[in-house]
Amino acid sequence: PVSSSLVQILASDADIGDNHRVVYEIVPSASGALFSIGNTTGVVTTAASLDFETATQHRFMVSASDLGSPVRRASQVAVIVDVTNVDDHAPHFLLSVYQARVREHSTAGTSVVNLTALDSDPFSVIRYSVAAGDDKHVFAVDPITGYITVQADIDRESQPTYNLTVAALSSSNFTLAAANRTTAHAIVTVVDINDFPPQFSQSSYTFLVPENLAVGSQVGTVLASDTNDVGVNAMVSGYELVSGNGTRVFTIDSGGVLRLNQSIDRESVAVYAAVAQASDSGVPRMSAVASVTFVITDVNDNSPVFDPSGYNASVREDVGVAVPVLTVSAGDSDSGSNGSVAFSISTPSVPFAVNALSGQISVSANLNYSVSPFYRVTVIASDRGTPVARSTAALVLITVIPKPNGAPVFN
């Protein structure tokens, strides 16, 4: 650990007084930066954590100098620090999930799958075991090689699939200490004759679908093939969408082509998901699945909406320019620039201005009750949609209150 004492460097000086006093320092270097030394004690300690996997040895120079005057004298000594390895890394499997298939009634010793785990500690030894999922002890694992083999009769009709939890433990701790134990899953499928399912070209697909796409339009294509089996077993007989909220909204044909089956609205549902399944023609039929995500992209199909739809306000005629009167508000359920709203005033020659972003209406010129006791101001809320922006108007009725002049005023 940091600040661990490693060695004490001692130097002596035959002079007396300050000429005799010795101070120590590490000569700057990449390795030297990992250590520190007591200025007067000469005790070398770690200044940073050392990693055996990065460097097994560090070499640096220590300088010892006296405090003599007018000239300080110094000498140097080389320090070599050998880093010893500590098993400080847990092993890790190359895969988090291993997939395997084995025919029913296979003979004992039949190989099922080879587990492989690595440990970044160079001298570690890994041991393998089956931790869970094999209550009937159908499988055995070689603790050294990681090979899983059959050790008892397998009956597909009794249990077609095994989900084994396999463990790898490092050499320094063959107990079940969590710090040096890693697990993975080995899914073993027991098959009769047709022992390989089709495989999709991708494990997952994502398609962008404009919300104004016409029903019946093609969205995309998924593709599966079976390169392990032969003949009828290798023929992909068809596709279907088997689960997810997109199974009714989209369809898939025998060639894997996906089409829109009903109208969609991004503001109602922004993402659809489905599981596509491809089946072969074997007996029994085998299939593979891939996740399909349909992301509905926004079209500028909504206009801004004022809330409320109309406004009333009053302002004294003697207020100054830039005095706020009221703030209008509008929202747009579209996204991005399609839903970004800006405000403007379409009524010409009115003594008011609106902040395009905040919607705050303020006085922009001197008011005169005698000239106009009220104003009907039309405020426009526009989005920044492309290719065509959409807008909505709201009426703002602003009443001018006369300033007091001491004379009677008829209502």
Side-chain angles (χ1 to χ4, degrees):
V2 176
S3 301
S4 298
S5 297
L6 302 180
V7 67
Q8 185 177 25
I9 307 297
L10 294 177
S12 60
D13 193 313
D15 293 317
I16 61 174
D18 286 343
N19 296 336
H20 172 75
R21 295 175 59 189
V22 178
V23 292
Y24 304 90
E25 63 178 341
I26 294 176
V27 177
S29 66
S31 290
L34 301 175
F35 304 91
S36 61
I37 189 169
N39 183 259
T40 58
T41 65
V43 175
V44 177
T45 58
T46 55
S49 296
L50 305 181
D51 183 16
F52 180 85
E53 288 72 36
T54 302
T56 61
Q57 188 180 82
H58 297 280
R59 298 169 176 262
F60 57 92
M61 302 296 293
V62 171
S63 173
S65 59
D66 59 29
L67 300 179
S69 178
V71 178
R72 297 179 60 180
R73 297 181 178 274
S75 61
Q76 295 183 348
V77 66
V79 178
I80 300 174
V81 177
D82 290 317
V83 182
T84 58
N85 183 47
V86 175
D87 188 8
D88 54 352
H89 296 86
H92 64 276
F93 283 98
L94 293 183
L95 299 174
S96 61
V97 178
Y98 290 82
Q99 299 282 353
R101 293 172 176 79
V102 60
R103 294 177 181 272
E104 63 177 333
H105 309 304
S106 294
T107 58
T110 298
S111 178
V112 178
V113 65
N114 183 22
L115 308 175
T116 303
L118 301 176
D119 192 319
S120 55
D121 289 305
F123 304 115
S124 65
V125 178
I126 295 174
R127 295 291 183 267
Y128 301 92
S129 64
V130 176
D134 187 20
D135 297 337
K136 298 179 181 179
H137 305 291
V138 174
F139 303 99
V141 60
D142 188 303
I144 297 176
T145 65
Y147 270 102
I148 294 179
T149 56
V150 175
Q151 69 174 0
D153 184 58
I154 302 175
D155 181 29
R156 187 192 65 82
E157 288 71 29
S158 298
Q159 185 169 348
T161 304
Y162 293 83
N163 188 348
L164 307 178
T165 300
V166 293
L169 296 92
S170 65
S171 61
S172 65
N173 193 347
F174 289 149
T175 65
L176 297 182
N180 286 327
R181 179 176 183 266
T182 301
T183 60
H185 288 278
I187 300 177
V188 182
T189 301
V190 183
V191 296
D192 287 319
I193 298 173
N194 186 25
D195 55 348
F196 285 96
Q199 297 291 322
F200 278 94
S201 60
Q202 300 172 208
S203 61
S204 62
Y205 297 82
T206 300
F207 300 100
L208 302 180
V209 185
E211 62 177 325
N212 63 345
L213 187 69
V215 173
S217 298
Q218 180 174 333
V219 173
T221 303
V222 298
L223 179 64
S225 60
D226 189 337
T227 59
N228 297 301
D229 293 316
V230 295
V232 175
N233 293 335
M235 295 175 57
V236 176
S237 59
Y239 299 85
E240 58 182 326
L241 299 178
V242 295
S243 64
N245 67 339
T247 54
R248 295 184 179 181
V249 181
F250 300 90
T251 60
I252 188 169
D253 63 20
S254 59
V257 176
L258 295 157
R259 297 183 183 277
L260 182 63
N261 190 47
Q262 59 184 245
S263 298
I264 52 178
D265 178 31
R266 188 203 66 83
E267 287 71 38
S268 299
V269 181
V271 178
Y272 291 93
V275 174
Q277 177 175 286
S279 301
D280 62 23
S281 302
V283 179
R285 294 177 64 185
M286 299 192 71
S287 59
V289 295
S291 62
V292 183
T293 302
F294 304 93
V295 178
I296 311 306
T297 58
D298 187 47
V299 173
N300 192 25
D301 56 350
N302 292 279
S303 298
V305 176
F306 279 95
D307 184 20
S309 58
Y311 296 84
N312 288 279
S314 60
V315 60
R316 287 171 56 99
E317 69 171 324
D318 57 350
V319 299
V321 173
V323 171
V325 178
L326 80 161
T327 298
V328 297
S329 175
D332 192 317
S333 56
D334 290 317
S335 65
S337 60
N338 293 336
S340 178
V341 178
F343 299 95
S344 62
I345 291 177
S346 64
T347 307
S349 303
V350 291
F352 301 99
V354 63
N355 185 290
L357 297 180
S358 69
Q360 184 183 76
I361 297 176
S362 58
V363 177
S364 63
N366 293 328
L367 304 176
N368 189 326
Y369 175 82
S370 300
V371 175
S372 180
F374 66 90
Y375 292 90
R376 298 171 65 89
V377 180
T378 299
V379 179
I380 304 298
S382 304
D383 61 30
R384 294 181 171 85
T386 55
V388 178
R390 301 174 71 101
S391 61
T392 303
L395 179 62
V396 180
L397 181 60
I398 302 176
T399 302
V400 179
I401 302 174
K403 62 183 178 181
N405 55 17
V409 177
F410 288 102
N411 291 331

